[in-house]
Coordinates of all heavy atoms in Angstrom, one line a residue:
H170 N 88.0 89.6 86.7 CA 87.8 90.6 87.8 C 88.6 90.2 89.0 O 88.8 91.1 89.9 CB 86.3 90.6 88.2 CG 85.4 90.8 87.1 ND1 84.1 90.3 87.2 CD2 85.5 91.3 85.9 CE1 83.5 90.6 86.1 NE2 84.4 91.2 85.3
F171 N 89.1 89.0 89.1 CA 89.7 88.6 90.4 C 91.2 88.3 90.2 O 91.9 88.2 91.2 CB 89.0 87.3 90.9 CG 87.6 87.6 91.3 CD1 86.6 87.4 90.3 CD2 87.3 88.2 92.5 CE1 85.2 87.7 90.7 CE2 86.0 88.5 92.8 CZ 84.9 88.3 91.9
G172 N 91.7 88.1 89.0 CA 93.1 87.7 88.8 C 93.9 89.0 88.5 O 93.5 90.1 88.6
Y173 N 95.1 88.7 88.0 CA 96.0 89.9 87.6 C 95.5 90.4 86.3 O 94.8 89.7 85.5 CB 97.4 89.4 87.4 CG 98.1 89.2 88.7 CD1 98.3 87.9 89.3 CD2 98.5 90.3 89.5 CE1 98.9 87.8 90.5 CE2 99.1 90.2 90.7 CZ 99.3 88.9 91.2 OH 99.9 88.7 92.4
A174 N 95.7 91.7 86.0 CA 95.1 92.4 84.9 C 96.2 93.3 84.2 O 97.2 93.5 84.8 CB 93.9 93.2 85.3
P175 N 95.9 93.8 83.0 CA 96.9 94.6 82.4 C 97.1 95.9 83.1 O 96.1 96.5 83.7 CB 96.2 94.9 81.0 CG 95.0 94.1 80.9 CD 94.7 93.5 82.2
T176 N 98.3 96.5 83.0 CA 98.7 97.7 83.7 C 97.8 98.9 83.3 O 97.4 99.7 84.2 CB 100.1 98.0 83.5 OG1 100.9 96.9 84.0 CG2 100.6 99.3 84.2
N177 N 97.6 99.0 82.1 CA 96.9 100.3 81.6 C 95.5 100.4 82.0 O 94.9 101.5 82.0 CB 97.1 100.5 80.1 CG 96.6 99.4 79.3 OD1 96.1 98.4 79.8 ND2 96.6 99.6 78.0
G178 N 94.8 99.3 82.4 CA 93.4 99.4 82.9 C 92.5 98.5 82.0 O 92.9 98.0 81.0
V179 N 91.3 98.4 82.5 CA 90.3 97.6 81.9 C 89.9 98.2 80.5 O 89.6 99.4 80.4 CB 89.0 97.5 82.8 CG1 87.8 97.0 82.0 CG2 89.4 96.6 84.0
E180 N 89.9 97.3 79.5 CA 89.8 97.9 78.1 C 88.4 98.6 78.0 O 88.3 99.7 77.4 CB 89.9 96.8 77.1 CG 90.1 97.4 75.7 CD 90.2 96.3 74.7 OE1 90.6 95.2 75.0 OE2 90.0 96.6 73.5
A181 N 87.3 98.0 78.5 CA 86.0 98.6 78.4 C 86.0 100.0 79.0 O 85.3 100.9 78.4 CB 85.0 97.7 79.0
L182 N 86.7 100.2 80.1 CA 86.7 101.5 80.7 C 87.5 102.5 79.8 O 87.1 103.7 79.6 CB 87.3 101.4 82.1 CG 87.4 102.8 82.8 CD1 86.0 103.4 83.0 CD2 88.0 102.6 84.3
R183 N 88.6 102.1 79.3 CA 89.5 103.0 78.5 C 88.7 103.4 77.2 O 88.8 104.5 76.7 CB 90.8 102.3 78.2 CG 91.7 102.3 79.4 CD 93.1 101.7 79.2 NE 93.1 100.3 78.8 CZ 93.3 99.9 77.6 NH1 93.7 100.7 76.6 NH2 93.3 98.6 77.4
Q184 N 88.0 102.4 76.7 CA 87.1 102.6 75.5 C 86.1 103.7 75.8 O 85.9 104.6 75.1 CB 86.5 101.3 75.0 CG 85.8 101.3 73.7 CD 86.8 101.5 72.5 OE1 87.8 100.8 72.4 NE2 86.4 102.5 71.7
A185 N 85.3 103.4 76.9 CA 84.2 104.3 77.3 C 84.8 105.7 77.6 O 84.2 106.7 77.2 CB 83.5 103.8 78.5
L186 N 85.9 105.8 78.2 CA 86.5 107.1 78.5 C 87.0 107.8 77.3 O 86.8 109.1 77.2 CB 87.8 106.9 79.4 CG 87.7 107.1 80.9 CD1 88.9 106.7 81.6 CD2 87.4 108.6 81.1
T187 N 87.5 107.1 76.3 CA 87.9 107.7 75.1 C 86.7 108.4 74.4 O 86.8 109.6 74.0 CB 88.5 106.6 74.1 OG1 89.6 106.0 74.8 CG2 89.0 107.2 72.8
E188 N 85.6 107.7 74.3 CA 84.4 108.2 73.7 C 83.9 109.5 74.4 O 83.6 110.5 73.9 CB 83.3 107.2 73.6 CG 83.6 106.2 72.5 CD 82.9 104.9 72.6 OE1 81.8 104.9 73.3 OE2 83.4 103.9 72.1
Y189 N 83.9 109.3 75.8 CA 83.4 110.5 76.6 C 84.4 111.7 76.4 O 83.9 112.8 76.2 CB 83.4 110.0 78.1 CG 83.2 111.2 79.0 CD1 82.0 111.8 79.1 CD2 84.3 111.6 79.8 CE1 81.9 112.9 80.0 CE2 84.2 112.7 80.7 CZ 83.0 113.4 80.7 OH 82.9 114.4 81.6
L190 N 85.7 111.5 76.5 CA 86.6 112.6 76.5 C 86.6 113.3 75.1 O 86.7 114.5 75.0 CB 88.1 112.1 76.8 CG 88.3 111.7 78.2 CD1 89.7 111.1 78.4 CD2 88.2 112.9 79.1
R191 N 86.4 112.5 74.1 CA 86.3 113.1 72.7 C 85.1 114.0 72.6 O 85.2 115.1 72.2 CB 86.2 112.0 71.7 CG 87.6 111.4 71.3 CD 87.3 110.4 70.2 NE 88.4 109.5 69.9 CZ 88.3 108.3 69.4 NH1 87.1 107.9 69.1 NH2 89.3 107.5 69.2
R192 N 84.0 113.4 73.1 CA 82.7 114.1 72.9 C 82.6 115.3 73.9 O 82.2 116.4 73.5 CB 81.6 113.1 73.2 CG 80.2 113.5 72.8 CD 79.2 112.4 73.0 NE 79.1 111.9 74.4 CZ 79.5 110.7 74.7 NH1 80.1 109.8 73.9 NH2 79.4 110.3 76.0
A193 N 82.9 115.1 75.2 CA 82.6 116.1 76.2 C 83.7 117.1 76.4 O 83.5 118.2 76.8 CB 82.2 115.4 77.5
R194 N 85.0 116.6 76.1 CA 86.1 117.5 76.5 C 87.0 117.8 75.3 O 88.0 118.5 75.4 CB 87.0 116.9 77.6 CG 86.2 116.4 78.8 CD 85.7 117.5 79.7 NE 86.7 118.5 80.1 CZ 86.7 119.7 79.7 NH1 85.8 120.2 79.0 NH2 87.7 120.5 80.1
A195 N 86.6 117.3 74.1 CA 87.3 117.6 72.8 C 88.8 117.1 73.0 O 89.7 117.7 72.3 CB 87.3 119.1 72.4
V196 N 89.0 116.1 73.8 CA 90.4 115.5 73.9 C 90.6 114.6 72.7 O 89.7 113.8 72.3 CB 90.5 114.7 75.2 CG1 91.8 113.9 75.3 CG2 90.4 115.7 76.4
R197 N 91.8 114.7 72.1 CA 92.1 113.8 71.0 C 92.8 112.6 71.5 O 94.0 112.7 72.0 CB 93.0 114.4 70.0 CG 92.5 115.7 69.4 CD 93.6 116.3 68.6 NE 93.3 117.7 68.3 CZ 93.6 118.2 67.1 NH1 94.1 117.4 66.2 NH2 93.3 119.4 66.8
C198 N 92.2 111.4 71.5 CA 92.9 110.2 72.0 C 92.4 108.9 71.5 O 91.3 108.9 70.9 CB 92.9 110.2 73.5 SG 91.2 110.1 74.2
T199 N 93.2 107.9 71.7 CA 92.7 106.5 71.4 C 92.8 105.8 72.8 O 93.5 106.2 73.7 CB 93.7 105.8 70.5 OG1 95.0 105.8 71.1 CG2 93.8 106.6 69.1
P200 N 92.1 104.6 72.9 CA 92.2 103.9 74.2 C 93.6 103.5 74.6 O 93.9 103.4 75.8 CB 91.3 102.6 73.9 CG 90.4 103.0 72.8 CD 91.2 104.0 72.0
E201 N 94.5 103.4 73.6 CA 95.9 102.9 73.9 C 96.6 104.0 74.6 O 97.6 103.8 75.3 CB 96.6 102.6 72.6 CG 96.2 101.4 71.9 CD 94.8 101.5 71.2 OE1 94.5 102.6 70.7 OE2 94.0 100.5 71.3
Q202 N 96.2 105.3 74.5 CA 96.9 106.4 75.1 C 96.4 106.6 76.6 O 97.0 107.4 77.3 CB 96.6 107.7 74.4 CG 97.3 107.8 73.1 CD 96.9 109.1 72.4 OE1 96.0 109.0 71.6 NE2 97.5 110.2 72.7
I203 N 95.4 105.8 77.0 CA 94.8 106.0 78.3 C 95.5 105.1 79.3 O 95.7 103.9 79.0 CB 93.3 105.9 78.3 CG1 92.7 107.0 77.5 CG2 92.7 105.9 79.7 CD1 91.2 107.1 77.5
L204 N 95.8 105.6 80.5 CA 96.3 104.8 81.6 C 95.4 105.1 82.8 O 95.3 106.3 83.2 CB 97.8 105.1 81.9 CG 98.4 104.5 83.2 CD1 98.4 103.0 83.2 CD2 99.8 105.0 83.4
I205 N 94.8 104.1 83.3 CA 94.0 104.3 84.5 C 94.9 104.2 85.8 O 95.7 103.4 85.9 CB 92.9 103.1 84.7 CG1 92.1 103.0 83.4 CG2 92.0 103.3 85.9 CD1 91.1 104.1 83.0

Side-chain angles (χ1 to χ4, degrees):
H170 309 154
F171 296 93
Y173 285 103
T176 296
N177 58 354
V179 163
E180 195 180 341
L182 178 58
R183 288 184 294 110
Q184 186 71 48
L186 257 175
T187 303
E188 283 159 26
Y189 166 73
L190 289 173
R191 281 186 193 152
R192 195 174 56 250
R194 308 290 305 116
V196 169
R197 301 171 193 225
C198 64
T199 62
E201 291 70 36
Q202 286 173 267
I203 294 189
L204 169 62
I205 307 291

